Amino acid sequence: MASLDLHKRRTAAVARGVSSTISSYVDHASGGTLTDVDGNEWIDFASGIAVTSVGNAAPRVVAAVREQVERFTHTCFMVAPYELYVSVCETLNTLTPGDFEKRSMLVNSGAEAVENAVKIARHATGRTAVVVFDHAYHGRTNLTMALTAKNMPYKHRFGPFAGEVYRVPMSYPLRDGGLSGADAAARAIDMINAQIGATNVAAVLIEPIQGEGGFVVPAPGFLPALAAWAREAGAVFIADEIQTGFCRTGDWFASSFEGVVPDLMTLAKGIAGGLPLGAVTGRADIMDAVHPGGLGGTYGGNPLACAAALASVETMRELDLVTAARRIGLTLGGRLRDLVASDPRIAEVRGRGAMQAIEIVQPGTLLPDPVTTSAISAECHLRGLLTLTCGTYGNVLRFLPPLVIDDRALERGLDTLAAALEAVRAA
Ligand SMILES: *Cc1c(COP(=O)(O)O)cnc(C)c1O
């Protein structure tokens, strides 16, 4: 077994803190499946955590990167600039919501995008406080660990953390008694006013649908009320669309669903078909507040990643992946709701488009059941379906297929999930 050998080498060479969902090693991957080094095939409901929305090794991306790699691989945009970086910024400024003038900057990862959005918001407002939410996930660097809610595994014994970060309650309909969006926003805003003071707030930072925190979809009205409060308070409203962006939820960006227009957006994951790229895009007056030289990094907006991003966006347009995500959402949501009807362990199906999840509880209660969740997940892996778990309580199974997955693979994946749920029930 080639994977077993690789696992031995890995254990002796790779730091233990870096773990993997499955212990098989990938040989090649396409638009909906991964094949391991022993020839086993997996249906991909993970997309490398919402990254390969256009598929793995997508033809346009491969061609664009191949062409660019022969021209030049790196000059550093801060040293000798190139058109690809400018083109990506132009594309992001056009694609993102808001008909005002925009600017963008490019980085290497999601966490770096969030770090920069906070830097920019603080600089532009001259304020320091950043408001974040329960169950939030924003990354693993020091500032983004502070912004992230969950201790294990992200923060445990990694402190001290960056200061001036304040956490307020999220709208989580399953677990807040079905509080309306307006009431949940009022609860958060009361806390901000009382504990921070509106004039101290540099930024309100939120995922329109939470990712690692459990695919929590806030009640309607929650996001618009927070955005309105931020505008009134002179704070920057930052939507972290790193997981929700680029067609995933059946819109180019999840903020658009309720007509929310963020001041700044953080982007990464689905942006470049698997090449490492992140971005901050938003209002020109806020972005341009920072002095020349105040933003940057050696690799940010690497030419290969930029070429991949332009090719990914072209692919999304050409294949109409907004519509594809909605169609996947109908199939996924429909099948999951059928399962929930006959399975008291599933408290709820939630999500939007090709970003859907089920929350697993002890039947008849809302008590999270992470043990059953892991068992179902392991059973899926055993049966050739790659799924991920998430949630503050580790009791959410999330489904993020590539947006180019074909109907047969999608149905086969859902059949496998149903069989895994049944097998764990019978065990
Ligand atoms: C993944 C993620 C991040 C961090 O991105 P990295 O590229 O892993 O640094 C930040 N915010 C959200 C919402 C994410 O899903």
Side-chain angles (χ1 to χ4, degrees):
M1 293 270 286
S3 272
L4 273 178
D5 292 341
L6 281 169
H7 207 68
K8 275 202 200 101
R9 281 172 52 196
R10 178 234 183 93
T11 309
V14 180
R16 193 176 65 132
V18 184
S19 63
S20 304
T21 303
I22 57 172
S23 51
S24 296
Y25 287 72
V26 177
D27 182 75
H28 59 275
S30 67
T33 58
L34 307 175
T35 306
D36 76 7
V37 287
D38 296 304
N40 301 306
E41 192 177 275
W42 310 76
I43 293 173
D44 183 10
F45 276 14
S47 301
I49 323 188
V51 169
T52 52
S53 297
V54 295
N56 231 305
R60 268 183 187 279
V61 173
V62 171
V65 171
R66 188 171 278 155
E67 191 187 313
Q68 181 55 36
V69 78
E70 287 175 353
R71 290 160 62 90
F72 60 95
T73 51
H74 174 84
T75 60
C76 183
F77 192 75
M78 299 184 306
V79 176
Y82 39 88
E83 182 186 2
L84 285 165
Y85 189 115
V86 179
S87 299
V88 171
C89 292
E90 287 169 346
T91 302
L92 298 179
N93 296 348
T94 310
L95 270 183
T96 49
D99 52 12
F100 39 79
E101 205 173 324
K102 291 180 210 142
R103 301 284 186 270
S104 292
M105 72 165 296
L106 305 181
V107 292
N108 304 298
S109 69
E112 214 187 333
V114 174
E115 291 260 355
N116 278 282
V118 171
K119 276 169 67 172
I120 294 163
R122 283 177 169 160
H123 192 105
T125 58
R127 306 172 178 182
T128 54
V130 180
V131 176
V132 290
F133 293 80
D134 285 334
H135 314 289
Y137 181 86
H138 298 293
R140 293 172 180 266
T141 56
N142 187 265
L143 172 60
T144 59
M145 276 193 291
L147 301 168
T148 290
K150 190 176 175 177
N151 178 52
M152 259 322 240
Y154 307 122
K155 304 169 74 166
H156 188 61
R157 295 173 62 122
F158 293 139
F161 303 111
E164 285 301 290
V165 172
Y166 299 87
R167 194 170 307 286
V168 299
M170 179 64 183
S171 165
Y172 190 161
L174 179 71
R175 296 193 173 276
D176 64 13
L179 214 55
S180 74
D183 287 348
R187 178 177 66 176
I189 289 164
D190 280 350
M191 197 178 274
I192 298 169
N193 285 325
Q195 298 185 13
I196 313 166
T199 56
N200 297 316
V201 178
V204 174
L205 168 64
I206 190 165
E207 302 153 85
I209 298 176
Q210 289 181 321
E212 313 300 300
F215 280 28
V216 178
V217 185
F222 184 70
L223 294 171
L226 288 172
W229 179 86
R231 189 164 312 119
E232 191 74 13
V236 179
F237 185 79
I238 307 172
D240 182 346
E241 292 245 18
I242 289 168
Q243 192 152 157
T244 50
F246 294 97
C247 309
R248 176 55 55 188
T249 64
D251 270 301
W252 276 94
F253 300 99
S255 299
S256 309
F257 188 77
E258 287 196 85
V260 170
V261 180
D263 298 312
L264 300 183
M265 287 172 80
T266 52
L267 306 166
K269 292 203 165 101
I271 194 173
L275 273 84
L277 188 72
V280 185
T281 295
R283 289 185 180 274
D285 55 332
I286 298 172
M287 294 293 293
D288 278 345
V290 178
H291 50 277
L295 303 173
T298 305
Y299 288 115
N302 170 272
L304 303 181
C306 285
L310 295 172
S312 293
V313 170
E314 265 174 47
T315 304
M316 288 171 195
R317 286 200 175 111
E318 185 180 78
L319 303 181
D320 190 7
L321 294 189
V322 162
T323 303
R326 290 182 189 186
R327 209 186 57 237
I328 291 168
L330 288 177
T331 307
L332 202 53
R335 282 291 296 277
L336 293 175
R337 269 184 289 279
D338 288 347
L339 291 173
V340 86
S342 61
D343 194 332
R345 297 169 300 178
I346 307 176
E348 185 177 54
V349 176
R350 61 172 178 257
R352 196 176 296 144
M355 179 174 185
Q356 305 255 351
I358 52 179
E359 180 159 349
I360 306 294
V361 294
Q362 295 178 20
T365 75
L366 279 180
L367 292 172
D369 190 346
V371 174
T372 299
T373 308
S374 302
I376 297 165
S377 187
E379 193 64 35
C380 287
H381 301 157
L382 211 67
R383 292 165 182 262
L385 173 66
L386 189 53
T387 55
L388 300 170
T389 58
C390 63
T392 298
Y393 315 110
N395 69 323
V396 178
L397 279 162
R398 59 172 153 169
F399 310 110
L400 292 161
L403 305 181
V404 295
I405 194 170
D406 66 58
D407 292 345
R408 251 191 55 248
L410 183 61
E411 293 285 357
R412 211 146 47 86
L414 286 162
D415 292 343
T416 306
L417 172 68
L421 280 160
E422 208 40 60
V424 170
R425 175 153 44 191

